Amino acid sequence: MQPSSETFPPPRSGIRVRRLSEHIGAEIENIDLSRPISSAQFADINTLLVRHSVLVFRGQDLPPAMHVDFASRFGRLVGHIVKRFSVDDYPEVTYISNVRNDKGEMIGADRAGMIWHSDMSYLPRPMLGSMLYGVECPPEGADTEFASMFAAHDALPDSMRALLAGAKGVHDYAWHYATYLSHRKPLTDEEKAQAPPVSHPALRTHPESGRKAIYVSEGLTRTLDGMEEAEGRRLVVEASEFATQPQFVYRHKWRSGDLVFWDNRSTMHRATEFDNRYRRLMRRTTVEGDIPA
Ligand SMILES: [Fe+2]
């Protein structure tokens, strides 16, 4: 897809924008994230994030210090609950990786986020956005899929919209971990205590654009509040499957040097399989958002 006049207002900072799909994703060019960004660049990027939900910056050289510097412009950074996955000297930066250290231990979160989710939706103040940087990417596989919860919301059948309006999703990290991450060391009691289940509106309003978005996910929303567990779960899965149909999805194929910045308030995402013979080393920061409403 070519640059489009739909990117309005046009960027004022000299960056260029190329849309990546009908509903979601834009590639941002003519910016060097290895240096602090200007206030004009910040304003443009923030506007474009709210509009396109996923921003792709290719060919970036981004040491951890600059990753933190860029991400911090958008809000407070929140490290991973599992502290052993942090980058040395940068507790706010988490490794997502299948690489092992000298002792044979995983240095990062392995097989992370393979089920549709919005990052850390199990916290009272979930993430505004996440920034994932490819240090070493497999030559094939390990794509990340992103789905527009704005577009999915706007296309909801009336019956499903009526069920979700006023409902609250129960987001539960310990349940998620036990269900999907049983290949890892079990969570410690201390880690579990940091993330008791929380409820958020099943349909939320984006605080900057006012657009409505679906905010339940198969991966992190265990059920719906006040509903029989299995029936609530069935509705969560149904909504999540509706929201992640191909017409709402952009699939990112990673190259080393890519930084992808996504808006967790208007998207779900998931990682996809790859051949574990390949090394994969990614760094992630997450920016805290507001309380969903
Ligand atoms: Fe994620």
Side-chain angles (χ1 to χ4, degrees), residues 113 117 119 262 269 284:
H117 66 284
D119 282 334
W262 65 88
H269 61 279
R284 188 183 80 172

mmCIF file of all heavy atoms in Angstrom, residues 113 117 119 262 269 284, ligand 1:
data_model
loop_
_atom_site.group_PDB
_atom_site.id
_atom_site.type_symbol
_atom_site.label_atom_id
_atom_site.label_comp_id
_atom_site.label_asym_id
_atom_site.label_seq_id
_atom_site.Cartn_x
_atom_site.Cartn_y
_atom_site.Cartn_z
ATOM 1 N N GLY A 113 3.526 -15.019 24.742
ATOM 2 C CA GLY A 113 2.453 -14.345 24.012
ATOM 3 C C GLY A 113 1.995 -15.045 22.754
ATOM 4 O O GLY A 113 1.709 -14.390 21.752
ATOM 5 N N HIS A 117 -3.664 -11.505 23.021
ATOM 6 C CA HIS A 117 -3.728 -10.768 24.286
ATOM 7 C C HIS A 117 -3.396 -9.303 24.065
ATOM 8 O O HIS A 117 -2.879 -8.922 23.013
ATOM 9 C CB HIS A 117 -2.747 -11.371 25.300
ATOM 10 C CG HIS A 117 -1.310 -11.207 24.884
ATOM 11 N ND1 HIS A 117 -0.740 -11.989 23.892
ATOM 12 C CD2 HIS A 117 -0.362 -10.336 25.279
ATOM 13 C CE1 HIS A 117 0.515 -11.603 23.716
ATOM 14 N NE2 HIS A 117 0.777 -10.594 24.543
ATOM 15 N N ASP A 119 -1.034 -6.485 26.196
ATOM 16 C CA ASP A 119 0.009 -6.669 27.208
ATOM 17 C C ASP A 119 -0.402 -6.204 28.603
ATOM 18 O O ASP A 119 -0.867 -5.080 28.791
ATOM 19 C CB ASP A 119 1.287 -5.932 26.795
ATOM 20 C CG ASP A 119 2.058 -6.712 25.745
ATOM 21 O OD1 ASP A 119 1.915 -7.954 25.700
ATOM 22 O OD2 ASP A 119 2.798 -6.075 24.969
ATOM 23 N N TRP A 262 3.304 -0.651 19.594
ATOM 24 C CA TRP A 262 1.854 -0.838 19.420
ATOM 25 C C TRP A 262 1.078 -0.288 20.598
ATOM 26 O O TRP A 262 1.585 -0.183 21.709
ATOM 27 C CB TRP A 262 1.511 -2.296 19.151
ATOM 28 C CG TRP A 262 1.780 -3.287 20.239
ATOM 29 C CD1 TRP A 262 0.944 -3.641 21.257
ATOM 30 C CD2 TRP A 262 2.970 -4.084 20.393
ATOM 31 N NE1 TRP A 262 1.525 -4.606 22.028
ATOM 32 C CE2 TRP A 262 2.766 -4.900 21.525
ATOM 33 C CE3 TRP A 262 4.170 -4.192 19.685
ATOM 34 C CZ2 TRP A 262 3.733 -5.800 21.968
ATOM 35 C CZ3 TRP A 262 5.125 -5.089 20.138
ATOM 36 C CH2 TRP A 262 4.904 -5.875 21.267
ATOM 37 N N HIS A 269 -2.499 -8.833 20.178
ATOM 38 C CA HIS A 269 -1.429 -9.386 19.343
ATOM 39 C C HIS A 269 -1.111 -10.798 19.814
ATOM 40 O O HIS A 269 -1.510 -11.223 20.904
ATOM 41 C CB HIS A 269 -0.184 -8.503 19.384
ATOM 42 C CG HIS A 269 0.411 -8.360 20.747
ATOM 43 N ND1 HIS A 269 -0.097 -7.479 21.681
ATOM 44 C CD2 HIS A 269 1.442 -8.988 21.357
ATOM 45 C CE1 HIS A 269 0.605 -7.583 22.798
ATOM 46 N NE2 HIS A 269 1.542 -8.494 22.637
ATOM 47 N N ARG A 284 12.037 -5.823 24.946
ATOM 48 C CA ARG A 284 10.738 -5.156 25.045
ATOM 49 C C ARG A 284 10.698 -4.157 26.188
ATOM 50 O O ARG A 284 11.238 -4.431 27.259
ATOM 51 C CB ARG A 284 9.633 -6.194 25.270
ATOM 52 C CG ARG A 284 8.241 -5.599 25.194
ATOM 53 C CD ARG A 284 7.170 -6.629 25.485
ATOM 54 N NE ARG A 284 7.047 -6.836 26.926
ATOM 55 C CZ ARG A 284 6.080 -7.572 27.488
ATOM 56 N NH1 ARG A 284 5.195 -8.177 26.738
ATOM 57 N NH2 ARG A 284 6.026 -7.716 28.794
HETATM 58 FE FE FE B 1 2.554 -9.468 24.298
#
